[in-house]
Amino acid sequence: MSTFRLLVVEDAEEDLRACRATLVRYKDERQRDIELIECTNVNDALLILDNSFDGAIIDMNLSVDGNEGNQVIDRIINSNLRIPVAILTGTPDATDTTFSYIGVFIKGAPGAGYADLLDIFWGIHNTGLTRIMGGRGIIEENLNKVFSQNLLPQKGIWVSYGESDSARTEKALLRHTLSHLLQLLDGDGDRCFPEEVYLSPPLTGKIRTGSIVKKKAEPREFIIMNPACDLAIRDDGGFKTDRILLAEIEDGSDVVNHALNGIQKADKQKTKLKAVYGNNHTGYYHWLPATTFFNGGFVNFRKLSSLTHEEFGESFEVPSIQISPFFVKDIVSRFSSFYARQGQPDIEFNDLITNHTTKPENSQ
């Protein structure tokens, strides 16, 4: 069982006693290994802050001014520390609202007890998120492998690239490192969770192959299907293509209901649904799973539209979701296969069937 390291920044001894007592009961009842680190002032907290913590509970009022907790938050932000933070305070108005907390909790309010916060923190810890993002998990382990086994042995060529263009070389090394990390996961037999299909929100507002865009003043959503090379940025800041190609995303329940129409038996419905969600129902539908931030649906390769840059900017919002690279490849492949398919004229084969299925009279 992995140890959970909890930082509490609190100057009120009464609150600290309550925290300690809760922790003793919590560890005994839940059989969870939790290490408590207490800081009663800002300076002590700033000295020990690092990515080794799995959670932090911070009070805003640590002296007379009433907003000292924001100094701890600033250190977390400026040092790029990836720690889930809960603000537990009697002065919530002093909280910096630009930081992403797991929550701002009012002391004494329902759901704001130390046991409640421990439940929230432990749920996050149980995912492995803090170990991964805190440099104590699989990413750090594999980065060490890439650094020692791949990049350092090739340092000569990378040094020569850096001499001619340092900034470009750094970006190239980042891409190269990510490729190595993806290779370590390639062929993983685990099924993916729906959230893995998407990057939300995208860290850039640029449109790319697989960007999901919403039509302004309408509920309809579309996916951008241009080849990646078309959307490469030219020296003048524009795209290589003068048209944006979009495929509409249809409501999932409509597609499912239509597929199940007329099928009464439960086992046949299950078989049909496996085909629908496995993208084996038709060649022109591609299923996108629903998540808390996206309703999902089915990309319809037959519902295409092509717009100029100006028309696209006037009609569509900035992309809020991007299909992740792993899944974009599959969508593009199926889209290409749908429009590259070639049929052939039907050939008469009834006589062949008759010859193979009709037995001569004397063969009884």
Side-chain angles (χ1 to χ4, degrees):
M1 179 173 60
S2 57
T3 301
F4 178 93
R5 299 191 76 228
L6 176 65
L7 173 66
V8 174
V9 185
E10 173 62 69
D11 65 338
E13 181 58 32
E14 181 181 356
D15 290 330
L16 287 174
R17 283 199 300 268
C19 180
R20 295 181 201 121
T22 301
L23 195 63
V24 170
R25 292 194 304 271
Y26 194 88
K27 291 167 69 173
D28 182 59
E29 294 172 0
R30 310 293 180 90
Q31 296 297 302
R32 292 171 178 172
D33 189 6
I34 303 175
E35 178 186 359
L36 177 63
I37 297 90
E38 300 176 11
C39 291
T40 58
N41 59 71
V42 171
N43 290 334
D44 287 350
L46 297 182
L47 285 173
I48 66 170
L49 268 174
D50 59 28
N51 268 325
S52 69
F53 292 101
D54 297 286
I57 299 175
I58 301 174
D59 182 20
M60 283 290 103
N61 189 356
L62 298 171
S63 66
V64 295
D65 294 335
N67 62 353
E68 296 79 13
N70 282 323
Q71 296 178 44
V72 183
I73 298 300
D74 289 343
R75 173 61 62 87
I76 292 173
I77 295 171
N78 295 331
S79 300
N80 292 319
L81 300 179
R82 296 174 288 276
I83 305 171
V85 173
I87 297 298
L88 182 60
T89 183
T91 56
D93 293 340
T95 304
D96 181 356
T97 58
T98 63
F99 182 71
S100 295
Y101 309 102
I102 66 169
V104 177
F105 303 88
I106 309 301
K107 289 182 177 181
Y114 284 108
D116 299 311
L117 299 184
L118 286 171
D119 280 339
I120 296 172
F121 280 125
W122 191 268
I124 297 172
H125 175 69
N126 218 28
T127 67
L129 177 63
T130 52
R131 294 187 296 280
I132 291 172
M133 300 306 292
R136 292 169 280 133
I138 191 171
I139 289 181
E140 193 70 16
E141 177 185 337
N142 286 320
L143 277 175
N144 288 335
K145 287 182 182 178
V146 173
F147 178 74
S148 61
Q149 298 178 21
N150 300 106
L151 301 183
L152 275 185
Q154 302 168 10
K155 60 184 180 298
I157 187 64
W158 289 106
V159 167
S160 68
Y161 293 149
E163 289 174 351
S164 61
D165 192 333
S166 177
R168 181 184 173 200
T169 302
E170 185 174 348
K171 289 177 65 176
L173 273 172
L174 176 59
R175 288 195 304 268
H176 195 48
T177 300
L178 290 174
S179 296
H180 280 292
L181 291 177
L182 291 173
Q183 180 195 37
L184 292 169
L185 293 174
D186 193 27
D188 191 335
D190 288 345
R191 291 195 174 191
C192 296
F193 294 108
E195 286 72 16
E196 294 181 73
V197 178
Y198 312 105
L199 304 176
S200 177
L203 297 182
T204 172
K206 297 177 181 177
I207 63 171
R208 303 176 186 274
T209 309
S211 291
I212 293 177
V213 291
K214 183 178 179 297
K215 201 161 188 181
K216 293 178 180 178
E218 291 188 28
R220 291 194 297 164
E221 291 178 300
F222 297 74
I223 181 172
I224 293 177
M225 293 303 306
N226 291 78
C229 57
D230 274 4
L231 300 177
I233 304 298
R234 299 180 304 193
D235 293 338
D236 62 2
F239 296 125
K240 289 185 177 180
T241 180
D242 62 346
R243 310 287 295 188
I244 306 300
L245 180 63
L246 303 116
E248 187 168 351
I249 301 172
E250 292 190 4
D251 182 84
S253 58
D254 291 342
V255 175
V256 169
N257 291 337
H258 185 268
L260 294 179
N261 185 39
I263 302 176
Q264 302 298 324
K265 293 185 177 180
D267 57 341
K268 290 187 176 181
Q269 288 181 342
K270 290 180 180 179
T271 299
K272 173 58 72 173
L273 288 176
K274 285 181 179 179
V276 170
Y277 291 124
N279 290 322
N280 295 312
H281 173 50
T282 71
Y284 55 85
Y285 275 137
H286 188 98
W287 176 53
L288 296 176
T291 66
T292 56
F293 53 82
F294 177 51
N295 291 328
F298 288 82
V299 181
N300 190 337
F301 296 148
R302 299 194 301 187
K303 288 189 174 182
L304 300 179
S305 54
S306 176
L307 304 177
T308 65
H309 296 175
E310 292 75 17
E311 291 170 338
F312 178 82
E314 291 171 359
S315 301
F316 287 88
E317 298 176 359
V318 174
S320 60
I321 302 172
Q322 170 68 41
I323 306 292
S324 67
F326 272 140
F327 296 92
V328 164
K329 291 178 182 178
D330 187 36
I331 295 173
V332 171
S333 175
R334 297 192 70 245
F335 178 72
S336 302
S337 296
F338 178 70
Y339 280 102
R341 70 195 190 284
Q342 296 290 325
Q344 70 172 21
D346 290 337
I347 301 174
E348 174 58 50
F349 49 72
N350 287 328
D351 288 344
L352 290 172
I353 294 176
T354 301
N355 290 338
H356 282 287
T357 57
T358 304
K359 298 180 180 180
E361 293 184 2
N362 58 1
S363 64
Q364 299 293 330

